[in-house]
Amino acid sequence: MDRFPELDDAVQDLSEDLDRRLVVIDQAMRVVSYSIHESPADRRRLFQILAHSDFWPRPRTATTPHQVVEIPEIGPLFFLRLLDPRKQIIGHLVLPVDSSESGQSLLVEVTPAALHLSELLAARQHEAMDREARSHHLATQLLSSDAGARAKAAEALIKERSLSSAEGCCAVALGVDPRDASPLDQEKSAQAVARTLRFVRETSTATVVGGVLDDGLGMLVFPRPVVVPRLSRILEDPQLVPVRAGIGPLLPLGEVHRSFERARLAWRASWLAPESHEAVTTWENIGLDGTLARLPLEDFLPEDLPPSTRDLLAAVDSPVLLDTLEAYLSAGGDAQQTARTLNIHRS
């Protein structure tokens, strides 16, 4: 949770004035600030709010300023909407109430202070948006063709604490097969980047940066190895299908552009041969397809093959024989190795 001192202090001051424990949540129902919770009962309630608030139903405050909601494991909570200058709901002030307490009388008590909290929460969100936009810009600069720009971006990301100074970082390329992608599909690269960054931010204190390149391809930089199953689960969301991802090798931050080059090749190979590769694949596991992905394979036709190869393919109509030929070539022309691989006699 990012801290915003002005908002935190205002919440604590209001808590002292009201002699109540207070929590501020944003529009996504995540806790962004809270006052001191000193007693065991208060701390147990705060733990429940921190752990579960983003799973609660949204309070119905679109037409009324407040609502009292009975929350399991906690009891009745008073939600007072916080508005930005455009009168859009940007969060709520939350405090426990007794079942016999009048929400209307409490509304009169906290409304004046809520106006100030709304201003501070809006300022916090604008600052977070500015920080995120700068992080996106610096992340894409890590892939610049200008070595000086790459070095400055790396230094700024560490200095501004957007990324840790880890021994190794790996890049990720995210996008859809560009050959038949609809405009809606093309927008999913940015959605995949945003969804991954939000997942990391909401479920851990780890750092990851990312952005979208001029060609529409998404990119991420992790200061650690990427957990493939976790990234796969994120991309399995129906709203992100058919985004695929390639993961580059772990390299120093100053060389992360080289990691991204290989991540892009792994990504490209995965949609050129989707039957052979998962939606998330690594450079280490992409094999020879990673090298072939350097070629314009999508423009490659059978007539581009040498005449002898075309004649061979035309003469052989058995998939088994083609598999045998592929195994023989993969073994470098070693008949005995081919026989062992196919579990057949060498003759």
Side-chain angles (χ1 to χ4, degrees):
M1 182 178 67
D2 294 332
R3 305 311 302 267
F4 192 74
E6 292 85 352
L7 177 62
D8 296 337
D9 287 341
V11 169
Q12 186 59 40
D13 289 343
L14 180 59
S15 172
E16 303 292 354
D17 292 341
L18 300 177
D19 193 23
R20 293 175 180 270
R21 311 291 77 79
L22 307 178
V23 173
V24 173
I25 60 175
D26 61 16
Q27 182 62 357
M29 303 292 288
R30 297 188 303 265
V31 174
V32 295
S33 184
Y34 53 89
S35 65
I36 293 173
H37 285 59
E38 195 166 2
S39 73
D42 288 339
R43 294 179 69 83
R44 283 194 296 269
R45 183 172 54 246
L46 177 62
F47 171 80
Q48 289 288 336
I49 295 174
L50 288 168
H52 303 295
S53 65
D54 53 343
F55 291 99
W56 295 347
R58 295 179 184 276
R60 299 175 180 176
T61 54
T63 58
T64 182
H66 76 286
Q67 184 186 19
V68 176
V69 182
E70 183 76 24
I71 302 295
E73 306 293 334
I74 294 180
L77 292 179
F78 176 90
F79 291 81
L80 175 64
R81 69 186 182 191
L82 302 176
L83 306 176
D84 67 9
R86 299 172 300 168
K87 304 303 180 183
Q88 300 293 317
I89 297 175
I90 56 174
H92 289 84
L93 174 65
V94 183
L95 56 155
V97 293
D98 295 331
S99 55
S100 60
E101 195 169 8
S102 168
Q104 194 63 39
S105 62
L106 185 57
L107 177 65
V108 174
E109 192 175 3
V110 300
T111 294
L115 296 175
H116 182 48
L117 293 180
S118 294
E119 294 176 356
L120 293 174
L121 180 57
R124 177 193 180 278
Q125 293 182 348
H126 282 302
E127 182 180 276
M129 290 173 60
D130 290 343
R131 187 166 61 250
E132 186 174 8
R134 171 149 174 87
S135 172
H136 290 351
H137 171 71
L138 291 173
T140 58
Q141 285 296 104
L142 289 174
L143 310 182
S144 170
S145 58
D146 183 340
R150 293 198 302 266
K152 289 181 180 178
E155 181 181 3
L157 283 168
I158 295 174
K159 183 177 181 181
E160 296 172 18
R161 298 183 177 178
S162 296
L163 205 61
S164 63
S165 55
E167 291 185 4
C169 296
C170 63
V172 178
L174 307 98
V176 298
D177 181 345
R179 294 173 296 183
D180 54 1
S182 67
L184 181 60
D185 287 339
Q186 292 171 344
E187 294 175 2
K188 292 184 177 181
S189 298
Q191 295 173 13
V193 170
R195 188 72 60 85
T196 305
L197 292 174
R198 185 166 67 247
F199 172 84
V200 173
R201 182 173 62 248
E202 293 177 0
T203 60
S204 72
T205 56
T207 59
V208 177
V209 296
V212 179
L213 305 180
D214 291 340
D215 61 3
L217 186 62
M219 59 84 65
L220 295 164
V221 176
F222 288 75
R224 68 192 70 82
V226 177
V227 180
V228 173
R230 188 174 297 147
L231 182 57
S232 298
R233 288 195 296 271
I234 295 173
L235 297 187
E236 285 171 359
D237 188 310
Q239 294 182 344
L240 298 181
V241 174
V243 173
R244 304 179 76 87
I247 302 173
L250 205 63
L251 293 173
L253 181 58
E255 299 178 29
V256 79
H257 61 290
R258 301 188 189 280
S259 178
F260 186 77
E261 289 173 0
R262 289 158 179 78
R264 184 195 285 266
L265 290 172
W267 162 76
R268 178 170 154 76
S270 77
W271 56 256
L272 284 170
E275 69 285 348
S276 301
H277 304 291
E278 300 293 334
V280 178
T281 188
T282 66
W283 170 255
E284 288 82 2
N285 293 332
I286 205 69
L288 182 62
D289 286 348
T291 300
L292 295 176
R294 296 179 183 274
L295 306 173
L297 287 182
E298 57 268 42
D299 300 329
F300 197 86
L301 301 173
E303 51 264 35
D304 295 319
L305 292 168
S308 58
T309 305
R310 294 204 304 270
D311 292 342
L312 176 63
L313 292 175
V316 176
D317 59 0
S318 170
V320 174
L321 292 179
L322 289 176
D323 291 342
T324 303
L325 175 60
E326 183 177 3
Y328 179 74
L329 295 174
S330 297
D334 186 332
Q336 292 188 0
Q337 176 61 41
T338 304
R340 286 194 295 270
T341 300
L342 298 176
N343 196 27
I344 59 177
H345 194 273
R346 64 179 180 274
S347 62

